[in-house]
């Protein structure tokens, strides 16, 4: 058995640079009404980039919502309508200064499906060659080469907490 | 080197039942200003509950933001100030009808740290005993027992895409 919730009406609250917010009034399975607060996000891409078979690239950057510096896979937002692989290739080069001769799809995830429609497409990049780093004007980050084994240790000890990063490592390990 | 972004001013856009939205004007590392759209969420808990050593509980429910039914770990939102373990024990029983004699911490994740402060605390539940299922009045879900090996296959084939679910499976597997 599967369910559905039909939107009866929708109020647009906000349209920002990154996200939009609508409140849907929905009809539930039992005929009653409820509201759903829904964030729209263009989605993104994250890249598990191997500098050798045991070492990956991570980026460290300040994340305002959690008020701390996080270690994450290189990643970026999709332009609306953009092909995820094209976006991944671009973002890898812009954030880390590397291009990849081999770029392959790992899978996709939804980050917070209870209130947000964000999908993140995960790719593996291998056989890296130098390219040109080019950060957005409000983007500041450190690129780090970290042994895959150390990344796993840091996931288990709570130093790496970013969901897309843990998902990608998990998906190439299970 | 680590970074920081100081909030100069903040505009509150929305305060809903689940999320709130503020737009921060921040001062960047280079002294320039930018804005950050920040969703506040109380955070949540998800539970990897084993009915035997090879089998876990998943719940299937409709997720309005992505307009589909998803298979996920049993999970729930924290009340503000609530202890995550207490929340996890409660949500496991309410969503699945099971209590656990053994409840242990796996780790925590941030789901979308670029625009949202949501943390999800992950727990492992073992030695399950019958309790009382009690869903919210706008909550409809199917509880399923799925072999752990099948869960891994479904993560890799794209049938399971929920980030917290993939993170928990990854963290007990790496």
């Amino acid at each position: 058995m599967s369910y559905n919730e039909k939107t009866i009406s929708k109020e647009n609250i906000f349209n920002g640079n990154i996200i939009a917010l609508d409140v849907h009034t929905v009809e539930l399975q039992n005929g009653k009404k409820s509201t759903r607060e829904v964030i729209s996000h263009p989605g993104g891409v994250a890249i598990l980039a191997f500098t050798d078979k045991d070492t990956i690239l991570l980026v460290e950057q300040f994340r305002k919502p959690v008020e701390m510096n996080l270690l994450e896979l290189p990643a970026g937002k999709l332009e609306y309508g953009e092909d995820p692989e094209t976006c991944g290739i671009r973002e890898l080069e812009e954030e880390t200064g590397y291009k990849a001769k081999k770029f392959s799809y790992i899978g996709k995830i939804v980050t917070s499906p209870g209130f947000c429609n964000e999908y993140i497409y995960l790719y593996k990049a291998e056989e890296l060659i130098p390219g040109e780093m080019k950060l957005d004007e409000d983007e500041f980050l450190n690129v780090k080469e970290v042994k895959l084994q150390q990344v796993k240790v840091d996931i288990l000890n709570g130093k790496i907490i970013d969901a897309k990063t843990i998902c990608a490592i998990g998906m190439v390990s299970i």
Side-chain angles (χ1 to χ4, degrees), chain A residues 59-61 74-76 90-98 132-143:
Chain A
V59 297
E60 184 185 36
Q61 62 194 309
R90 173 173 51 78
E91 289 287 350
L92 177 64
E93 184 175 5
E94 289 182 0
E95 286 206 343
T96 71
Y98 283 105
E132 193 178 344
M133 198 165 166
K134 179 168 161 280
L135 298 176
D136 295 338
E137 66 169 9
D138 65 349
E139 194 174 35
F140 299 84
L141 53 81
N142 298 318
V143 180

Side-chain angles (χ1 to χ4, degrees), chain A residues 12 20 22-23 61 78 102 114 132-133 160-161 173:
Chain A
N12 178 246
D22 294 281
V23 177
Q61 62 194 309
L78 285 163
K102 201 172 155 194
E132 193 178 344
M133 198 165 166
I160 293 174
I161 59 173
S173 306

Side-chain angles (χ1 to χ4, degrees), chain A residues 35 63 66 70 84 107 137 141 154:
Chain A
T35 59
R63 292 303 205 172
V66 292
L70 291 183
E137 66 169 9
L141 53 81
D154 287 343

Side-chain angles (χ1 to χ4, degrees), chain A residues 108-125:
Chain A
K108 69 181 174 186
I109 61 172
V110 287
T111 52
S112 279
F115 65 90
C116 180
N117 74 351
E118 182 190 34
Y119 281 84
I120 297 179
Y121 299 85
L122 303 172
Y123 290 90
K124 181 156 73 168

Side-chain angles (χ1 to χ4, degrees), chain A residues 44-47 75-95 98-100 103-105 121-125:
Chain A
V45 173
I47 307 103
K77 276 187 305 296
L78 285 163
E79 314 281 332
Y80 273 101
E82 187 180 25
D83 171 60
E85 183 168 326
T86 306
C87 174
I89 291 168
R90 173 173 51 78
E91 289 287 350
L92 177 64
E93 184 175 5
E94 289 182 0
E95 286 206 343
Y98 283 105
K99 299 193 224 196
F103 209 81
S104 53
Y105 181 63
Y121 299 85
L122 303 172
Y123 290 90
K124 181 156 73 168

Side-chain angles (χ1 to χ4, degrees), chain A residues 1-120:
Chain A
M1 187 168 82
S2 69
Y3 299 115
N4 195 7
E5 293 172 358
K6 197 184 160 200
T7 296
I8 298 166
S9 63
K10 186 167 86 164
E11 185 188 1
N12 178 246
I13 307 290
F14 178 74
N15 291 293
N17 294 320
I18 312 290
I19 58 175
L21 169 59
D22 294 281
V23 177
H24 294 244
T25 300
V26 298
E27 186 177 307
L28 302 174
Q29 285 64 223
N30 59 6
K32 290 190 178 171
K33 290 180 185 174
S34 188
T35 59
R36 300 295 183 217
E37 299 160 6
V38 177
I39 299 292
S40 294
H41 182 284
V45 173
I47 307 103
L48 186 62
F50 286 83
T51 57
D52 64 40
K53 72 178 177 44
D54 301 317
T55 311
I56 68 165
L57 296 174
L58 292 178
V59 297
E60 184 185 36
Q61 62 194 309
F62 185 77
R63 292 303 205 172
K64 184 67 192 171
V66 292
E67 296 283 358
M68 69 171 84
N69 284 264
L70 291 183
L71 274 171
E72 303 170 38
L73 294 187
K77 276 187 305 296
L78 285 163
E79 314 281 332
Y80 273 101
E82 187 180 25
D83 171 60
E85 183 168 326
T86 306
C87 174
I89 291 168
R90 173 173 51 78
E91 289 287 350
L92 177 64
E93 184 175 5
E94 289 182 0
E95 286 206 343
T96 71
Y98 283 105
K99 299 193 224 196
K101 287 180 170 174
K102 201 172 155 194
F103 209 81
S104 53
Y105 181 63
I106 297 173
K108 69 181 174 186
I109 61 172
V110 287
T111 52
S112 279
F115 65 90
C116 180
N117 74 351
E118 182 190 34
Y119 281 84
I120 297 179

